[in-house]
Amino acid sequence: MADVSDDQRDQTPAEPAQAPAEAPAPAVAAGPEPEPIRFFGTTWLNHDGGYGLRRAAVAAGSLVTAVAAAVLLRLSYEGLELGNVGPFLSISVVVLFAISSSIAFAKTWESFSRRPAPSSDEAALKGLKAIGFIGSLIAYFLRCLVEAPGEKLRRAEYERAVADFARRRSSRTGNPAARRPKRKK
C-alpha cells in the first residue's frame, strides 16, 4: 500500500474534475462585417438601435461645442484687445483661425465621402485641423443633418464587400477534386 498521510487522505477536491470542453467548431464565415462609425457603431447599416436619436444627439453636441468654442475664441480675442497687443497681432489671430477653420471644414467634409490616400499629407494637416476645430465641428453638424458622418462611404464599401463575398461564395460549388483537369493547348 502507498504511504499516504492522514492529511492527504482528508483533502478531497471541492468539485469533481470535468472533462475538458470540446473546442467550438470554427464558425463559417457569414460575410463581411460593417465597419463601425464613431458614436454610431454599426447602427447606420439598418438605421436601428436609436440611430435617429444618435444622429440628433451628435448634431446637437457638435453644434453646442462649436458655439462654446466660438465664445471662448471671442473671449480670447477680447483678451488680446485688453492686452493692447496691436492691430497686426489681433488681425493675424482672426485670419489664422478663419483659414484653419475653413481648411479643417473642407478636409473633414472630404473625409466623409472618400478615404485619404496612404501617401497623402493628412498627418501634416493634423495641427492645422486642431487649430481650426470649429470648422470640423460645423462639418460634423451639417453632415449629421443628412446622415451619419461617413455613412455613405461605408455603405458603398460594405455593399461592394457583400457583393464580392456573394460572388466568391457562389463560385465555390462542387467538389474541386472531382473536376476534370484542364486540357493543355
Side-chain angles (χ1 to χ4, degrees):
M1 223 165 149
D3 242 358
V4 179
S5 68
D6 290 334
D7 291 336
Q8 290 175 339
R9 254 183 286 165
D10 292 337
Q11 294 177 356
T12 57
E15 295 179 25
Q18 296 179 0
E22 292 184 28
V28 176
E33 293 291 321
E35 183 180 350
I37 297 175
R38 184 183 308 171
F39 305 122
F40 294 93
T42 56
T43 61
W44 60 267
L45 186 60
N46 298 318
H47 292 186
D48 59 353
Y51 170 80
L53 185 61
R54 288 179 191 218
R55 255 185 50 202
V58 169
S62 61
L63 183 63
V64 166
T65 307
V67 168
V71 168
L72 285 175
L73 286 177
R74 174 68 181 158
L75 291 174
S76 300
Y77 179 77
E78 287 177 4
L80 288 175
E81 290 296 316
L82 287 174
N84 201 17
V85 294
F88 177 74
L89 185 59
S90 298
I91 292 172
S92 298
V93 167
V94 170
V95 169
L96 169 76
F97 276 104
I99 290 173
S100 58
S101 289
S102 64
I103 290 172
F105 177 87
K107 290 296 182 180
T108 303
W109 192 264
E110 182 180 297
S111 73
F112 296 147
S113 59
R114 68 181 176 92
R115 299 223 184 241
S119 64
S120 72
D121 40 318
E122 283 294 315
L125 293 176
K126 279 187 178 180
L128 192 62
K129 286 173 72 174
I131 293 170
F133 64 99
I134 293 176
S136 292
L137 290 170
I138 292 171
Y140 225 78
F141 167 73
L142 291 175
R143 183 56 87 164
C144 282
L145 295 177
V146 179
E147 65 179 6
E151 178 181 346
K152 185 177 181 180
L153 171 67
R154 303 253 181 10
R155 187 173 301 281
E157 290 173 349
Y158 177 72
E159 288 173 354
R160 191 175 325 114
V162 167
D164 289 346
F165 179 78
R167 184 177 37 81
R168 285 192 311 266
R169 295 292 293 177
S170 66
S171 66
R172 293 184 187 174
T173 56
N175 183 357
R179 292 186 186 149
R180 294 182 7 203
K182 292 183 179 181
R183 287 185 172 189
K184 292 184 180 179
K185 292 185 180 182

